[in-house]
Amino acid sequence: IQWCQVKSGRVQWVRQGRRIFHFDGYNQMTETLANVHVVDLDSQFRPLRALQATRATYDEKMHRWKLNQVKELRFSGHTGGRIESVIRTDHMTYDLPIDTDHILSIKRRPDEMSVRELERYIEHGKATGSSIRDFLVAWHFNLAFPLASLLVSLLGLSFAYRFERTADMVWS
C-alpha cells in the first residue's frame, strides 16, 4: 500500500496494486470518510471500474467499509475506456485498505497550521460535515494572540505617557 498526501493535507490517495483509492477527509467522531473514489485499472493503466460514494463508514464487526450513495461506472477496456454502464445503489460494503489509525497519525495538529491552512480545513469541514471545532479554536487563537499582544502594548504605552518619571521615584 502506497500513501500520498497532497499539500493541503486534506486529500488522501492510496494505491494498492492496480487499484487507486481517494477520499477527501475523515471525520473522527463518526468514523466516516467523505467523497470516496475507487478506480480499478488494467495493465495499461486504463480504468475498468470506478466507484464513487458520498460517505464510507467503517464496520468494526465485519471489518469492512459501508459505502453510501454509490455510483459504479464500468468501462470497456478494449474500446478506449468508454463507459459501458452506470449502476447506482444506496449501500455497498467494500474492502478499503484504509486504516483509520494511520489517517489520524498523518493528520497535522491544528496548532501546527497557518491561518490559511486552517481556513481551508474549516471550509472543507463545513462542506463535508466533518468536525471542525479544533480548527476553529486554533484559527481564533492564531488571530487573537497577535491582537492581544498589540492591545497590551497599547495599554503599556498609555501608562508610559501618563506618569512622568522623576528622580524622586527612584529613591523612594
Side-chain angles (χ1 to χ4, degrees):
I1 298 173
Q2 295 176 341
W3 283 81
C4 175
Q5 185 175 6
V6 179
K7 264 189 205 175
S8 65
R10 293 187 312 216
V11 180
Q12 301 290 331
W13 295 88
V14 183
R15 179 175 164 253
Q16 184 182 42
R18 292 187 183 161
R19 189 171 284 162
I20 297 174
F21 307 90
H22 163 261
F23 60 95
D24 284 343
Y26 177 69
N27 184 333
Q28 185 178 0
M29 299 296 285
T30 60
E31 295 183 341
T32 57
L33 299 172
N35 299 322
V36 179
H37 298 268
V38 180
V39 180
D40 292 326
L41 305 167
D42 66 8
S43 61
Q44 303 297 316
F45 207 71
R46 290 181 296 217
L48 296 174
R49 181 176 88 150
L51 293 174
Q52 300 171 354
T54 58
R55 186 169 319 230
T57 308
Y58 189 68
D59 187 350
E60 291 284 340
K61 294 177 185 173
M62 295 175 51
H63 300 290
R64 296 185 76 173
W65 290 87
K66 290 183 179 180
L67 305 178
N68 297 330
Q69 298 175 348
V70 181
K71 181 166 102 173
E72 180 179 0
L73 305 169
R74 294 197 179 259
F75 299 91
S76 59
H78 61 280
T79 59
R82 292 191 183 133
I83 298 174
E84 282 183 352
S85 64
V86 178
I87 303 166
R88 295 178 191 270
T89 57
D90 289 333
H91 304 284
M92 172 190 285
T93 56
Y94 198 83
D95 285 325
L96 294 174
I98 297 171
D99 180 17
T100 55
D101 292 332
H102 181 74
I103 295 170
L104 295 174
S105 70
I106 62 175
K107 183 177 166 183
R108 287 182 62 196
R109 293 189 340 238
D111 61 336
E112 297 174 339
M113 296 181 183
S114 69
V115 172
R116 290 186 194 271
E117 286 176 308
L118 288 167
E119 286 172 348
R120 284 195 297 261
Y121 260 86
I122 291 167
E123 181 182 312
H124 180 73
K126 285 180 181 177
T128 60
S130 299
S131 175
I132 58 172
R133 182 186 50 181
D134 293 339
F135 299 106
L136 282 171
V137 169
W139 183 81
H140 284 285
F141 181 79
N142 283 353
L143 290 180
F145 197 80
L147 293 176
S149 60
L150 178 66
L151 181 66
V152 169
S153 299
L154 291 175
L155 188 63
L157 282 175
S158 69
F159 283 119
Y161 288 112
R162 180 174 289 179
F163 300 109
E164 187 175 315
R165 294 183 191 173
T166 63
D168 296 338
M169 291 177 66
V170 174
W171 298 109
S172 57

